[in-house]
Amino acid sequence: MVNQERKAEIANGLEIVMAQINAAAKSANRNPSDISLIVVTKTFPRSDVDFLYELGVRDFGENRDQEGVVKAENFHPDTNWHFQGQIQGNKIKSIVKWADVIHSLAEIDHAKTISDRHQMTESALPTKYPVLIQVLLDSEKRIERNGIEPKALIEFADAIAKNSGLEIKGLMAVAPIAENPDIAFAKMADIFSDFKEKFPMATWLSAGMSGDFESAITHGATHIRIGSSILGNRSYL
Ligand SMILES: *Cc1c(COP(=O)(O)O)cnc(C)c1O
């Protein structure tokens, strides 16, 4: 496909999704500007990321270090790169260099490594590295997912909060496959509301993907992570 056609395709996808975000916000009596769209560019080429930037997108999501590092490096400085994939301990050193925030923290060892590695990057001091804690909503664990069980969340967050190198920005969740997202995200809204009483600085609720972002918006998501609705189906290599 020639470049201009691809750019038009992405522009069209983006326009449709933005309209859907606005409509969902409106029917939930929310201000659309309180909802941040993160475009998930995993598996898509850097040229698509360039088009998205030209179209005004500034927040990008990636799941893998190897991919994120090549897209984010030497990219425009006025962008935010969100790491949202399962964390591998040996990749943290690299991830904290290109990712501005990690959404998928779910292991205490990783928290310490993120903090230590962040402190070692020259540009970082004295800032804290922003993280979201991923919450496991799949009570029956139909498929294994990354995340902290809701009942263990406060204890986990207390341990993270003791680490002076990290800032708990909020919570992240993925709706379980084959469950009604409305039920999952309603549960998440309760968890988030309780969480904010103890951690008032945790203002982000990262929830909602292509198939369920409207439901996530209804239930208070502040950050939605959308890939295929904008960029098309991913072809896994
Ligand atoms: C891939 C992915 C997304 C985006 O998924 P789409 O269905 O393509 O919108 C969002 N969040 C996470 C954690 C992902 O892995």
Side-chain angles (χ1 to χ4, degrees), residues 40 42 63 84 172 174 209-210 225-228 234:
V40 178
K42 68 181 182 208
N63 283 47
Q84 51 170 39
M172 186 272 237
V174 175
M209 314 188 355
S210 289
R225 310 174 309 268
I226 300 187
S228 50
R234 282 180 290 274

Side-chain angles (χ1 to χ4, degrees), residues 45 47 56 60 74 89 96 102 109 117 122 134 159 168 186 193 201 228:
S47 52
F60 301 92
N74 302 317
V96 298
I102 292 177
D109 292 354
R117 287 296 176 183
E122 259 174 70
Q134 185 167 352
I168 302 175
S193 145
M201 306 302 283
S228 50

Side-chain angles (χ1 to χ4, degrees), residues 18-227:
M18 301 276 254
Q20 288 168 333
I21 292 169
N22 286 340
K26 201 174 166 203
S27 58
N29 277 319
R30 299 186 57 198
N31 187 339
S33 65
D34 293 339
I35 297 154
S36 301
L37 168 64
I38 298 163
V39 180
V40 178
T41 46
K42 68 181 182 208
T43 77
F44 290 99
R46 169 72 181 256
S47 52
D48 282 359
V49 182
D50 288 329
F51 290 143
L52 287 162
Y53 184 86
E54 288 168 24
L55 294 164
V57 173
R58 295 294 179 266
D59 287 274
F60 301 92
E62 286 285 337
N63 283 47
R64 286 157 54 92
D65 174 56
Q66 298 92 307
E67 249 198 284
V69 72
V70 294
K71 290 181 201 166
E73 262 184 357
N74 302 317
F75 202 59
H76 307 266
D78 62 337
T79 50
N80 299 305
W81 289 84
H82 302 253
F83 185 86
Q84 51 170 39
Q86 197 148 343
I87 300 169
Q88 286 175 273
N90 62 346
K91 295 292 195 303
I92 290 172
K93 178 183 175 185
S94 172
I95 294 170
V96 298
K97 286 187 197 149
W98 62 264
D100 299 286
V101 50
I102 292 177
H103 288 233
S104 41
L105 181 61
E107 285 184 38
I108 202 75
D109 292 354
H110 291 163
K112 185 172 172 357
T113 312
I114 293 166
S115 172
D116 291 349
R117 287 296 176 183
H118 174 63
Q119 309 288 334
M120 283 179 214
T121 61
E122 259 174 70
S123 57
L125 295 167
T127 57
K128 296 184 175 201
Y129 192 89
V131 293
L132 280 71
I133 300 171
Q134 185 167 352
V135 178
L136 191 69
L137 293 179
D138 191 349
S139 45
E140 292 171 36
K141 294 208 186 112
R142 286 186 189 84
I143 55 164
E144 207 195 325
R145 284 265 198 201
N146 192 49
I148 297 291
E149 298 269 2
K151 60 180 182 317
L153 178 61
I154 295 293
E155 195 184 331
F156 183 78
D158 278 335
I160 305 292
K162 285 203 197 95
N163 190 322
S164 56
L166 299 178
E167 178 191 0
I168 302 175
K169 269 274 178 207
L171 302 178
M172 186 272 237
V174 175
I177 292 170
E179 255 180 54
N180 181 340
D182 269 323
I183 293 169
F185 289 140
K187 179 174 157 189
M188 192 60 226
D190 287 343
I191 295 168
F192 184 50
S193 145
D194 290 348
F195 190 77
K196 278 194 294 187
E197 281 181 27
K198 268 210 96 182
F199 297 91
M201 306 302 283
T203 53
W204 291 23
L205 178 56
S206 167
M209 314 188 355
S210 289
D212 55 24
F213 68 90
E214 285 151 313
S215 166
I217 289 170
T218 305
H219 296 288
T222 62
H223 292 69
I224 55 176
R225 310 174 309 268
I226 300 187

